Amino acid sequence: PIKESISKLESLENLSLDNNAVGFVHEGICLLSSLTRLSMSSNKLISFPDRMATMHSLGELMLDSNSLTSLPQSILHLTCLRILSISSNCVIQLPSELPRLTSLRKLLVENNAIQRLPFEFGLFSNLVQLEVSGNPLWSPPKDIISQGISVWFSYLMSIASPLRIKAIASVKKDIRSGVLQARRFNLTQFPPEICRYTLQFMCLTEIDMDVNKLSELPKEVGKLTNLTSLSFANNLFMLCPPVFGKLHNLTSINLERNLLTFIPMDIGNLSALKILRVDGNKISHPPMEVVKMGIPALLRFLKLFAQGSVSGELLMSGNNLKAMPIAIAGLENITRLDLSHNAIGRLPCELFDKVTLETLDISYNVITHLEPEISRPLNLRLLNLSANRIDVLSSSLLSLTKLQSLFMNLNLV
């Protein structure tokens, strides 16, 4: 065993006690005021004495392959420490105050049980090497870990910003409370920190995650009910995230330059929405002529579509439509369809597959002829073709044996 008398080696600068059976750091070692390097790897250490706080000259501390489960507060007083290595121990978490060690250049913590790095690690000023492999780390996520230490710290600061963590806020004066800005991190998943600590992030009012690689959002985002602004431009969304429809305080959504093909009906319930940016997508529903008419027209269209999908009566009159919305083909049990007062030039064949259709109003459009398939909806009882440009009465109409009312006013027949 190491005796207290070791403290008499007052000039000792380098002490190596690797591969022994040392079970604790004797206080005599802590009295070695000239010691700059201490290596006690491959022993049986489980803790440190508080006296270690007095080792002000210590620059390197190597404690690999022991049985440590945590780092003591005393280590935060080692202001000259440049290298700290605690690989292959049983450490579960690292002290959030470690960035106070402004001389620290290397932190080696491989093969422990660490699940997340503290947000405060974004405050490290001189750390150039942080090794974390072999840990069950979920924060930062793998997307960030693969990009190197500077990206790790930038990411942690971004995620921590809305929380107004005291240590961070005291250094970063430009932090905006409630705003998460995490652009250009190449993220393929939404920050897991927000999903795990949703209650802490209820303060969020804005999320800006432009220029990443996101394709979906977790359901937890729907719990952030204070959100007013979401920006996910330049990502990989093929579908508008369903959780948007639950965020009724949203006033602004930016989904420019994604892979969207339609805007879901749930968006129609966002009555506070003032801005919706979807340029750079291939939106087919709602038709772009509706999108370009502005938010009120878009919300009205989506709301009508949602109501029609439930009631079976789809009322799309006066929406400046140049073609029948392709999404109508996907609706089942439609009995009434009103597409009057638009600018539709032809009716697609898919419309006539609606065997449940009883009333079809396509008056005041620019239709020039009727497709032969108009004979398919055998339950059709009312057909209004008034105020179009039809010059021939199609013989296909003769197959509509249940037709009771036919309006052909103001055509060219």
Side-chain angles (χ1 to χ4, degrees):
I2 300 172
K3 297 182 178 181
E4 189 171 354
S5 56
I6 195 173
S7 62
K8 295 180 180 180
L9 300 174
E10 296 179 355
S11 299
L12 193 64
E13 296 180 357
N14 187 343
L15 176 60
S16 179
L17 295 168
D18 297 342
N19 295 291
N20 282 285
V22 180
F24 64 97
V25 179
H26 199 285
E27 292 203 2
I29 294 177
C30 299
L31 297 174
L32 296 171
S33 58
S34 298
L35 199 65
T36 59
R37 184 180 187 276
L38 173 61
S39 182
M40 298 183 70
S41 297
S42 300
N43 281 284
K44 298 181 180 180
L45 297 176
I46 59 173
S47 64
F48 299 84
D50 293 338
R51 197 71 177 270
M52 178 170 272
T54 63
M55 303 179 72
H56 300 302
S57 298
L58 197 63
E60 297 182 24
L61 181 58
M62 322 298 288
L63 300 167
D64 302 331
S65 302
N66 280 284
S67 300
L68 301 171
T69 58
S70 64
L71 291 178
Q73 291 294 307
S74 57
I75 207 167
L76 301 175
H77 296 276
L78 305 181
T79 54
C80 290
L81 198 63
R82 300 185 311 279
I83 301 174
L84 174 60
S85 184
I86 55 168
S87 297
S88 301
N89 277 276
C90 305
V91 176
I92 298 174
Q93 65 181 40
L94 298 170
S96 59
E97 301 92 343
L98 270 181
R100 283 166 40 184
L101 300 177
T102 54
S103 297
L104 197 62
R105 303 274 294 175
K106 296 182 180 181
L107 178 58
L108 314 177
V109 296
E110 303 106 316
N111 302 311
N112 277 279
I114 301 166
Q115 295 188 43
R116 61 174 291 263
L117 299 182
F119 293 134
E120 289 85 352
F121 272 31
L123 295 173
F124 268 118
S125 54
N126 295 308
L127 197 69
V128 295
Q129 184 178 356
L130 174 56
E131 301 294 340
V132 296
S133 61
N135 284 281
L137 205 65
W138 58 263
S139 174
K142 292 180 181 179
D143 293 341
I144 300 299
I145 292 295
S146 64
Q147 297 182 61
I149 189 170
S150 62
V151 177
W152 302 3
F153 294 163
S154 179
Y155 172 84
L156 289 170
M157 290 295 287
S158 294
I159 301 301
S161 293
L163 301 180
R164 301 292 295 176
I165 295 173
K166 185 176 180 180
I168 295 176
S170 64
V171 176
K172 302 290 183 180
K173 302 296 185 182
D174 59 340
I175 288 176
R176 294 170 59 198
S177 180
V179 178
L180 169 64
Q181 188 174 82
R183 295 181 175 181
R184 301 181 185 276
F185 281 118
N186 288 317
L187 288 169
T188 60
Q189 62 171 320
F190 191 74
E193 298 84 357
I194 298 177
C195 299
R196 296 215 182 193
Y197 305 121
T198 305
L199 289 178
Q200 290 180 248
F201 284 92
M202 288 297 289
C203 62
L204 279 176
T205 58
E206 299 179 29
I207 294 179
D208 180 351
M209 295 189 67
D210 293 350
V211 197
N212 281 287
K213 297 178 180 179
L214 300 173
S215 59
E216 60 182 0
L217 294 180
K219 61 182 180 181
E220 287 82 1
V221 175
K223 299 177 183 178
L224 304 174
T225 53
N226 291 316
L227 283 170
T228 60
S229 176
L230 290 174
S231 188
F232 293 98
N234 293 91
N235 276 276
L236 301 174
F237 288 103
M238 298 181 70
L239 299 174
C240 187
V243 296
F244 283 9
K246 299 179 180 179
L247 302 172
H248 298 290
N249 289 317
L250 282 178
T251 60
S252 174
I253 298 175
N254 185 358
L255 287 168
E256 292 178 326
R257 293 176 293 282
N258 276 273
L259 304 172
L260 301 175
T261 56
F262 72 95
I263 300 171
M265 293 182 287
D266 288 350
I267 297 296
N269 296 325
L270 302 180
S271 57
L273 196 65
K274 298 291 186 292
I275 299 171
L276 176 62
R277 295 191 174 99
V278 291
D279 291 346
N281 288 279
K282 296 183 178 180
I283 303 291
S284 60
H285 177 77
M288 284 309 295
E289 53 263 32
V290 174
V291 176
K292 291 177 180 178
M293 288 171 67
I295 294 299
L298 174 63
L299 296 183
R300 175 179 174 272
F301 179 93
L302 292 171
K303 188 171 292 186
L304 289 172
F305 209 89
Q307 292 170 350
S309 66
V310 175
S311 69
E313 298 189 356
L314 190 55
L315 311 179
M316 294 279 108
S317 178
N319 277 288
N320 199 34
L321 298 174
K322 296 179 180 178
M324 186 191 85
I326 191 171
I328 291 178
L331 296 179
E332 298 180 359
N333 303 318
I334 292 295
T335 59
R336 179 186 175 193
L337 177 59
D338 184 350
L339 292 169
S340 62
H341 297 274
N342 283 289
I344 297 172
R346 65 177 293 273
L347 297 176
C349 297
E350 293 86 354
L351 171 62
F352 305 120
D353 290 330
K354 299 297 178 186
V355 295
T356 58
L357 195 62
E358 297 178 2
T359 300
L360 175 59
D361 187 348
I362 48 176
S363 59
Y364 292 91
N365 279 279
V366 291
I367 294 170
T368 58
H369 68 281
L370 298 176
E371 306 292 341
E373 289 82 2
I374 198 170
S375 62
R376 291 179 187 171
L378 299 178
N379 290 309
L380 198 63
R381 287 174 167 76
L382 185 151
L383 177 59
N384 190 348
L385 297 167
S386 298
N388 278 280
R389 300 175 183 177
I390 300 170
D391 57 4
V392 176
L393 191 62
S394 173
S395 61
S396 299
L397 294 174
L398 300 176
S399 300
L400 301 174
T401 57
K402 293 185 180 181
L403 192 64
Q404 297 173 354
S405 299
L406 175 62
F407 300 95
M408 289 283 298
N409 308 321
L410 301 174
N411 275 279
L412 304 174
V413 177

